Amino acid sequence: MSDRGHIKLGAFLHATGHHVAGWRAPAAQADAGVNLRHYLDMAVDAERAGYDMIFLADTLMVKPGSLDTMSRIARYTALFEPLTLLSALAVVTRNIGLVATATTTYNEPFHVARKFASLDLISGGRAGWNLVTSANPAEAGNFGGHAHPLHAERYERAREFHKVVLGLWNSWEDDAFSYDKESGQYFDPAKLHALEHEGKHFQVRGPLNAARSPQGHPIVVQAGSSPAGRALAAETAEVVFTAETDLERARAFYADVKGRMPAFGRDPEHLKIMPGVYAVVGRSEAEAREKNDQLQRLIEPAVGLSILGEMLGTDLSGHPIDGPLPDIPTTNGGKGRQEVVLALARRENLSIRQLYTAIAGARGHLTVCGTASQVADVLETWFKTEAADGFNVMPPSLPDGLTDFSELVIPELRRRGLFRERYEGSTLRENLGLPIPTFKR
């Protein structure tokens, strides 16, 4: 048993599931992206199972490409805005964390600070912000049509963006509000602090018109794995969501990011690294394989090519589908994910078809297919060898994929003493074992 406590688990709810054909599975909720009851039921089930958090991704566009191809893809086509959705889920849950993605590329710091602070208060201290930079250039078309910023520029802006948001979350001291009817004083003026930020990208006066929550302020999650992403994570993140498929690469990533933290005056124990895990679980190995094969048979080639091309930042439609992957130029999108997918293709000598089939569910994340014991073996190895502090669970289709993991894998992890029996507290920080930040000016 590791001295780092228990494995942390996020439920990464990708509407209809993570497999590109997951919405076509017999048990899938095809209209999940706009079905509130679907999310309410899953949130209650995830909390009952003991997950640390619900994690929602987001995008600010409908994916570009052939209209016929895009009409066959459920991912990001019609879905709730995540903060709005999580506010609804906060009402039917009490302990589970609520984490949503908001890009620093096409948002303003004050908007992000206020919305997440509000969710944190609504939920009693369970909010988290997944800080990302926009990887897809097509988002630029919805925000003035200007050129998509270069990778380095996006991270420079993100670093300042985080600084502003953190400063706004420190507008009020913890006990600033007295609500004293007798004296007539609503708050102590000495405990209000304007930000007065003047930087390269932002000029923000402040203060924020939202108080601090029971956990101080929302946790910060970071999802980049490029060198710039690792540096930003070491400086700013409290949870890192990364994509890794190889144990030794994952251990190197873990050591690298945590090893950078002391330079920023941070304790490596105050960061939880949680790779994604795409788990297909059966009561027998044969059952798990059949579940996986069923989804793989539903992949349409044009859809597979579209998803792979998006991840690599390259249009692959003109290349032989059963031929080798061509030379791929460095992307201005998600560099870390591109590197993971290219490494997989080279390591296993995959054709284009084989590669899109391999990433159709996990999209470059760890894939495990088997019984609860087999899945738990992998998670235990990664945890105990310091490749991960926990995992973001990526169900192939929903709701059945989440149910499989909750009812089969989590009891097995508990039997091994690797997962909690009950929540440690009512805030996300308590359950993740992260300190409540003290007020800072």
Side-chain angles (χ1 to χ4, degrees):
M1 176 68 182
S2 168
D3 61 3
R4 292 175 291 128
H6 296 108
I7 288 175
K8 306 302 178 185
L9 291 177
F12 187 176
L13 304 184
H14 214 338
T16 56
H18 284 267
H19 195 282
V20 68
W23 71 276
R24 301 178 65 193
Q29 183 72 45
D31 68 344
V34 291
N35 187 316
L36 180 59
R37 175 48 57 189
H38 168 75
Y39 280 103
L40 293 172
D41 290 345
M42 285 197 300
V44 170
D45 289 346
E47 183 168 78
R48 186 180 299 119
Y51 291 86
D52 290 88
M53 60 189 179
I54 291 167
F55 183 96
L56 299 181
D58 194 32
T59 188
L60 299 175
M61 63 178 187
V62 173
K63 300 289 187 184
S66 158
L67 192 56
D68 179 66
T69 300
M70 300 317 296
S71 73
R72 301 172 185 278
I73 299 175
R75 292 177 60 244
Y76 298 123
T77 300
L79 71 166
F80 293 119
E81 188 283 317
L83 281 160
T84 307
L85 175 58
L86 289 180
S87 294
L89 302 188
V91 177
V92 297
T93 56
R94 297 183 62 183
N95 298 97
I96 196 166
L98 305 167
V99 178
T101 298
T103 176
T104 61
T105 309
Y106 298 112
N107 272 304
E108 288 292 322
F110 194 93
H111 290 139
V112 167
R114 188 182 186 209
K115 290 174 182 177
F116 278 95
S118 296
L119 176 62
D120 210 24
L121 289 165
I122 289 169
S123 64
R126 295 185 282 134
W129 168 34
N130 181 35
L131 184 166
V132 302
T133 73
S134 290
N136 199 314
E139 289 191 1
N142 293 327
F143 298 89
H146 304 295
H148 189 57
L150 295 175
H151 188 270
E153 295 172 2
R154 296 201 305 271
Y155 275 95
E156 179 186 72
R157 175 185 166 98
R159 186 166 283 103
E160 186 180 342
F161 195 113
H162 170 266
K163 180 180 179 181
V164 174
V165 169
L166 209 61
L168 289 169
W169 283 340
N170 282 283
S171 293
W172 304 89
E173 296 184 29
D174 292 301
D175 58 349
F177 290 90
S178 55
Y179 308 115
D180 192 331
K181 293 181 180 180
E182 189 170 330
S183 70
Q185 187 172 73
Y186 193 70
F187 68 87
D188 183 344
K191 296 182 179 181
L192 170 62
H193 305 275
L195 182 59
E196 304 293 355
H197 175 85
E198 295 284 340
K200 178 178 178 180
H201 298 278
F202 306 107
Q203 293 77 47
V204 182
R205 184 183 64 189
L208 187 68
N209 52 343
R212 281 164 68 84
S213 83
Q215 67 169 354
H217 60 68
I219 69 162
V220 176
V221 183
Q222 211 275 326
S225 296
S226 67
R230 296 180 188 208
L232 184 63
E235 182 179 357
T236 68
E238 293 165 289
V239 172
V240 169
F241 178 29
T242 183
E244 298 290 347
T245 59
D246 176 77
L247 176 61
E248 292 310 313
R249 279 176 57 98
R251 293 184 66 200
F253 175 86
Y254 185 101
D256 179 51
V257 174
K258 295 213 174 191
R260 296 172 187 247
M261 294 178 68
F264 297 103
R266 301 189 62 206
D267 183 342
E269 292 300 313
H270 295 167
L271 173 65
K272 306 300 178 184
I273 294 180
M274 299 175 64
V277 58
Y278 175 84
V280 185
V281 191
R283 296 185 182 278
S284 67
E285 189 173 351
E287 181 185 306
R289 287 177 178 168
E290 176 52 32
K291 287 181 180 182
N292 188 61
D293 290 345
Q294 182 183 51
L295 287 172
Q296 300 290 56
R297 288 192 292 267
L298 294 173
I299 303 171
E300 298 189 40
V303 172
L305 277 174
S306 173
I307 298 300
L308 179 58
E310 177 189 331
M311 292 185 63
L312 295 178
T314 300
D315 182 3
L316 297 169
S317 58
H319 298 275
I321 197 169
D322 290 310
L325 195 67
D327 290 337
I328 303 295
T330 300
T331 182
N332 185 35
K335 291 183 183 294
R337 191 64 57 85
Q338 184 193 53
E339 290 173 3
V340 168
V341 174
L342 290 177
L344 173 64
R346 296 186 191 108
R347 187 169 64 247
E348 301 189 16
N349 194 29
L350 301 179
S351 68
I352 291 175
R353 188 195 302 272
Q354 290 169 329
L355 184 57
Y356 78 57
T357 301
I359 61 97
R363 301 184 311 284
H365 290 275
L366 173 65
T367 298
V368 189
C369 180
T371 64
S373 180
Q374 289 171 320
V375 174
D377 285 345
V378 174
L379 304 189
E380 182 173 9
T381 297
W382 280 52
F383 179 63
K384 288 189 173 181
T385 59
E386 296 191 346
D389 296 306
F391 302 88
N392 254 333
V393 178
M394 303 166 57
S397 61
L398 290 171
D400 54 313
L402 184 69
T403 301
D404 288 342
F405 194 94
S406 300
E407 294 185 354
L408 299 176
V409 179
I410 287 181
E412 177 63 23
L413 292 175
R414 285 190 171 124
R415 278 192 287 273
R416 301 181 187 202
L418 292 169
F419 192 63
R420 66 158 65 86
E421 294 291 339
R422 62 188 61 83
Y423 285 105
E424 292 83 356
S426 61
T427 70
L428 181 53
R429 289 183 183 280
E430 288 175 286
N431 293 323
L432 288 176
L434 297 172
I436 294 178
T438 56
F439 174 83
K440 294 178 182 177
R441 286 313 306 164

